[in-house]
Amino acid sequence: MIDSPLVYLFTLALLVAALSFAQIKTKHKFFEYIPVVVLIYAFSMLLASSGVFAQNQEITAVYRLTKTNLLPAMLFLMLLEVDFKHFFKLRKSLLIAYVLAVFSIAFAFIAVAYLFGFDKETAAAFGALAGSWMGGTANMIAVGSALHVNEDAFAYALVVDSVNYTVWVMLLLFLVPFAKIFNRFTKSEEKLAYLDKIGCACSVGAKRYWLLILLALGASLFSQIIAEKLVILNTTTSIVLFSTLLGVLGSFTKLRFINGSNEVATTMLYILIALIGSRAVIESFSGLGMYVFAGFAVLLVHALIMVAGAKIFKLDLFSISVASLANIGGVASAPILAATYNKALVSIGVLMAIMGYLIGTFGGLLVGYILIYSTQ
């Protein structure tokens, strides 16, 4: 049994490094179906459930300290990539599709929570899931921390995120050949072929990891200091909001051109996932079926609203599909879907997904608090 805080952190870091290395070096299709994020969580949870990690005060203290400092640092770095100027250059139909996707997902979560009669714990977990489906896994952790989702409920939400997302990606890819039929149904005009390639905030040159780490930790410290003075709902929520604001402000400066921010932020994300998994000891997954079913219900409501919106605003299948997957799937999958329509449109998928880093946190928090307060 590991009872040393330093050995505990080293073990989790080693686990993250090993699984990341396996994904990068092998590039096996296995990782397309089961993301490395899920594997990191599953293995760290397995270690915890096997009694490898002692649940003593020292390990609990280092867990909270590491999580509290890494979360705002990660959010700051991920938001440095957002480029608002390019986002607003998107064609009107794409902007409408993106806004429609965000609001339909939010409405779907609220409607399904009402129909299923969620209790407070489930509501908080689905609030975190809303953060993921409006942004990404990083937003899921941020929202889950702010809503104080316990580790067991977070484990359920993460499984739902993986299972339902995989089915959703397969469905959207399956629908690509039927684009012309759908576009005739919505009476949309196919003018995507000559869209200019829209870029995102990309970085070139040497990767400055140490500088990025110092900036991120500085932003984390500043966020925590301000959060102690100005509390919004609770301290964790305040830290998340202030670090998000710092990241957005940084994206308007030369900081967004420092190369390597994505790699450092991803490393922090993986370590956070491992930390949360190391505190989850689940004896049974008996309640998982309800979570998965509710997740599919959210996707169904979202899909119906997107189709209805496409008919009203005469949107094409590409616009609503990529907008949907940019929210639910993120940077990893939206560009792939865009490329199946036209390789020149990959950057649109990337751009929409990157915007989710900002939208996901605020949207997830809003939905999460609505779900929690509706249970009272």
Side-chain angles (χ1 to χ4, degrees):
M1 179 181 291
I2 296 174
D3 56 7
S4 168
L6 290 178
V7 177
Y8 163 71
L9 286 179
F10 177 78
T11 303
L12 293 179
L14 185 62
L15 172 66
V16 168
L19 291 173
S20 299
F21 182 81
Q23 179 195 32
I24 295 170
K25 292 298 181 182
T26 64
K27 296 181 180 179
H28 200 278
K29 287 188 176 181
F30 172 78
F31 292 102
E32 295 179 10
Y33 300 102
I34 303 181
V36 69
V37 170
V38 175
L39 292 174
I40 290 171
Y41 191 94
F43 276 101
S44 60
M45 184 175 64
L46 179 63
L47 292 175
S49 300
S50 302
V52 174
F53 302 129
Q55 302 298 321
N56 56 34
Q57 292 183 350
E58 290 79 9
I59 286 183
T60 300
V62 78
Y63 161 80
R64 291 176 178 171
L65 182 64
T66 307
K67 183 181 175 184
T68 300
N69 285 285
L70 274 186
L71 178 57
M74 175 200 66
L75 289 174
F76 170 78
L77 287 181
M78 297 198 90
L79 285 166
L80 286 182
E81 295 181 305
V82 176
D83 194 326
F84 292 93
K85 292 182 297 182
H86 285 151
F87 180 76
F88 289 110
K89 287 180 182 178
L90 289 176
R91 206 178 65 163
K92 183 180 178 181
S93 61
L94 291 168
L95 289 174
I96 292 174
Y98 183 81
V99 173
L100 183 64
V102 171
F103 281 97
S104 63
I105 291 171
F107 175 81
F109 270 97
I110 296 170
V112 169
Y114 175 78
L115 292 173
F116 280 70
F118 286 168
D119 56 25
K120 187 175 181 179
E121 182 178 291
T122 306
F126 268 77
L129 183 61
S132 176
W133 284 6
M134 297 168 77
T137 307
N139 304 95
M140 185 180 188
I141 295 175
V143 175
S145 299
L147 299 179
H148 303 294
V149 178
N150 66 55
E151 285 78 8
D152 291 354
F154 189 89
Y156 286 132
L158 190 64
V159 173
V160 173
D161 186 27
S162 177
V163 173
N164 293 34
Y165 150 75
T166 301
V167 174
W168 192 241
V169 172
M170 288 174 15
L171 175 62
L172 293 180
L173 289 172
F174 172 78
L175 292 175
V176 171
F178 303 97
K180 291 184 178 180
I181 298 174
F182 183 88
N183 294 343
R184 283 199 296 269
F185 165 72
T186 60
K187 299 180 180 178
S188 60
E189 297 178 357
E190 296 183 276
K191 296 180 179 179
L192 293 168
Y194 61 86
L195 274 179
D196 291 330
K197 188 173 182 180
I198 304 172
C200 59
C202 301
S203 303
V204 294
K207 297 182 186 292
R208 302 179 181 179
Y209 295 132
W210 286 107
L211 176 58
L212 288 165
I213 291 172
L214 288 174
L215 287 171
L217 293 179
S220 175
L221 175 62
F222 184 75
S223 299
Q224 293 177 62
I225 292 174
I226 299 298
E228 290 181 359
K229 306 294 183 182
L230 183 59
V231 179
I232 303 173
L233 297 176
N234 59 61
T235 303
T236 307
T237 301
S238 302
I239 293 172
V240 167
L241 293 178
F242 289 132
S243 59
T244 298
L245 179 60
L246 287 175
V248 171
L249 292 175
S251 70
F252 286 96
T253 70
K254 293 182 179 180
L255 292 178
R256 69 182 173 91
F257 296 110
I258 300 177
N259 198 5
S261 60
N262 184 61
E263 291 91 330
V264 178
T266 301
T267 302
M268 291 179 176
L269 170 63
Y270 287 174
I271 293 175
L272 281 167
I273 287 290
L275 281 167
I276 296 172
S278 71
R279 305 293 293 181
V281 181
I282 298 181
E283 301 295 337
S284 167
F285 278 89
S286 58
L288 181 60
M290 185 276 291
Y291 274 77
V292 173
F293 183 70
F296 280 122
V298 170
L299 292 177
L300 176 61
V301 174
H302 162 62
L304 292 174
I305 294 174
M306 291 297 287
V307 172
K311 181 66 174 177
I312 294 170
F313 296 106
K314 297 182 180 180
L315 304 176
D316 55 85
L317 185 62
F318 168 83
S319 297
I320 64 169
S321 295
V322 173
S324 173
L325 199 57
N327 282 275
I328 295 172
V331 178
S333 53
I336 296 174
L337 179 62
T340 60
Y341 286 90
N342 189 329
K343 290 182 179 179
L345 303 174
V346 168
S347 57
I348 293 176
V350 174
L351 189 56
M352 284 187 172
I354 288 177
M355 278 299 296
Y357 292 151
L358 174 63
I359 302 296
T361 299
F362 291 105
L365 284 172
L366 177 61
V367 170
Y369 280 114
I370 291 174
L371 297 187
I372 291 172
Y373 288 132
S374 66
T375 63
Q376 297 177 354

